[in-house]
Amino acid sequence: MKICALSYRRRLRAAWIRVQLVAAVVLCAGAVLGHAGDATANSESLRAKHAELRIPLGNSPFGKPLVLDSSESADGVTGDIHALVEHPFAAAAAALNRPGDWCEILILHVNVKYCRASAAGEGSVLDVRIGRKYDQPLDRAYRVDFAYRVAAHASNYLQVRLDADQGPLGTRDYRIVLEAAPVDGGRTFIRLSYAYAFGTAGRLAMQAYLGTIGKNKVGFSVVGTQADGRPQHIGGMRGVVERNTMRYFLAIESFLGALSAPPQARLEKRLRDWFAAIERYPRQLHEMEQREYLDMKRKEYLRQQGALPR
């Protein structure tokens, strides 16, 4: 009887273990399906936005299917770009979901002096240095640590997030969010959001900038007409965030465009394509001549790869 009772308890324990395993599998499958469902819902939402913006995209003043918006609150600013890129979703998503590749993108920006990706727990951190529009030692640039995360990656949707608690000039809560989904014609529809917040010190610093060297700089949104009939573009904090949102989008576009080149030629193509892209909007984005930009960025890229002193 004892043997039978022992055998029964063993069978009962084994059955209970099987139940737990089945439950775990079901829960895991449910989690995967939940993420897939979220990705599908987000993809459908992004494609619905594409349908909503079809006419503005077709009539875009930017010379490409792109719509730019911005907003300002009491303690922050946000810039949003919705655009079509001439790359299949699978290729674009594969190229935009690796942290090291985001450093290749960010370094194109004239004020980004360095970027290095490293592992941090289950995610990655991008050590980014922000500086002036000239060759600058890294110890004189401002360090911003972006937490990098692929929030979603499915066959029909990609979302990548870069978040930083602190930034230069008293700014904080930096957020760069990229969303992408496939649309008709083998193209990819992208939403890029760039935002940051500021306190009193940050606002005062930005006002000082806008009252001096940034006084004549403008964004892209048209808010009126000047006396001579020319469009009046947005200035102030919204102008700042619009310029940088456009710079980062053009960096993404240049990065994707260079993938067709041989690996050894991609850096030069990215640099030249990005500079050519910003020069299409000189009123907002012209900062320096091409030779000056190329010389500076070639040095910064070598430093980023560890080939030059920091």
Side-chain angles (χ1 to χ4, degrees), residues 25-88:
V25 170
V26 170
L27 287 173
C28 289
V32 171
L33 289 172
H35 288 308
D38 291 343
T40 298
N42 289 332
S43 177
E44 290 175 353
S45 175
L46 193 57
R47 285 190 280 191
K49 188 67 175 180
H50 169 242
E52 175 190 330
L53 294 176
R54 193 176 295 273
I55 293 177
L57 288 167
N59 298 327
S60 173
F62 297 103
K64 61 178 68 183
L66 184 151
V67 174
L68 170 63
D69 296 303
S70 65
S71 61
E72 180 177 0
S73 66
D75 61 353
V77 286
T78 301
D80 281 298
I81 281 179
H82 291 86
L84 280 169
V85 294
E86 299 293 332
H87 301 277

Side-chain angles (χ1 to χ4, degrees), residues 20 190 212 243:
Q20 289 180 310
I190 283 178
T212 53
R243 292 195 298 275

Side-chain angles (χ1 to χ4, degrees), residues 20-298:
Q20 289 180 310
L21 288 172
V22 170
V25 170
V26 170
L27 287 173
C28 289
V32 171
L33 289 172
H35 288 308
D38 291 343
T40 298
N42 289 332
S43 177
E44 290 175 353
S45 175
L46 193 57
R47 285 190 280 191
K49 188 67 175 180
H50 169 242
E52 175 190 330
L53 294 176
R54 193 176 295 273
I55 293 177
L57 288 167
N59 298 327
S60 173
F62 297 103
K64 61 178 68 183
L66 184 151
V67 174
L68 170 63
D69 296 303
S70 65
S71 61
E72 180 177 0
S73 66
D75 61 353
V77 286
T78 301
D80 281 298
I81 281 179
H82 291 86
L84 280 169
V85 294
E86 299 293 332
H87 301 277
F89 173 77
L96 294 172
N97 74 347
R98 295 184 293 263
D101 287 340
W102 274 88
C103 280
E104 305 285 292
I105 292 168
L106 296 178
I107 194 65
L108 297 176
H109 191 301
V110 67
N111 293 115
V112 175
K113 319 309 289 181
Y114 175 88
C115 179
R116 178 64 62 88
S118 60
E122 296 182 357
S124 299
V125 171
L126 304 187
D127 169 5
V128 178
R129 308 301 173 92
I130 307 296
R132 300 291 186 89
K133 302 187 296 279
Y134 51 76
D135 195 10
Q136 185 180 34
L138 289 187
D139 59 5
R140 295 186 182 179
Y142 193 97
R143 178 170 178 167
V144 181
D145 289 326
F146 281 98
Y148 171 92
R149 181 167 65 95
V150 178
H153 187 194
S155 61
N156 59 356
Y157 181 72
L158 173 71
Q159 184 184 125
V160 176
R161 297 184 61 94
L162 284 73
D163 296 281
D165 292 336
Q166 301 294 329
L169 298 176
T171 54
R172 55 181 168 78
D173 298 334
Y174 275 76
R175 185 185 75 246
I176 299 174
V177 181
L178 171 88
E179 295 179 88
V183 293
D184 55 307
R187 297 175 296 176
T188 300
F189 187 57
I190 283 178
R191 174 181 180 248
L192 177 68
S193 180
Y194 172 66
Y196 57 90
F198 40 75
T200 301
R203 182 176 283 278
L204 290 174
M206 290 303 299
Q207 287 175 345
Y209 163 76
L210 292 169
T212 53
I213 59 176
K215 180 171 60 176
N216 296 319
K217 294 181 178 293
V218 296
F220 293 91
S221 295
V222 176
V223 293
T225 304
Q226 301 182 56
D228 59 3
R230 292 182 300 167
Q232 179 181 349
H233 293 95
I234 191 75
M237 300 292 288
R238 283 182 60 193
V240 173
V241 79
E242 286 189 3
R243 292 195 298 275
N244 278 321
T245 305
M246 180 65 86
R247 288 184 180 114
Y248 285 125
F249 170 77
L250 295 175
I252 291 169
E253 192 175 48
S254 298
F255 174 79
L256 292 174
L259 295 176
S260 61
Q264 67 274 15
R266 289 176 185 173
L267 171 63
E268 195 68 17
K269 180 169 173 55
R270 288 196 298 268
L271 294 175
R272 291 181 178 275
D273 286 356
W274 188 83
F275 188 85
I278 67 166
E279 287 299 295
R280 287 197 285 269
Y281 317 107
R283 177 73 178 89
Q284 291 83 8
L285 301 182
H286 177 78
E287 300 286 355
M288 60 180 65
E289 298 306 314
Q290 183 192 56
R291 182 174 180 178
E292 184 182 3
Y293 171 78
L294 292 175
D295 287 347
M296 179 181 73
K297 284 300 171 182
R298 287 167 185 152

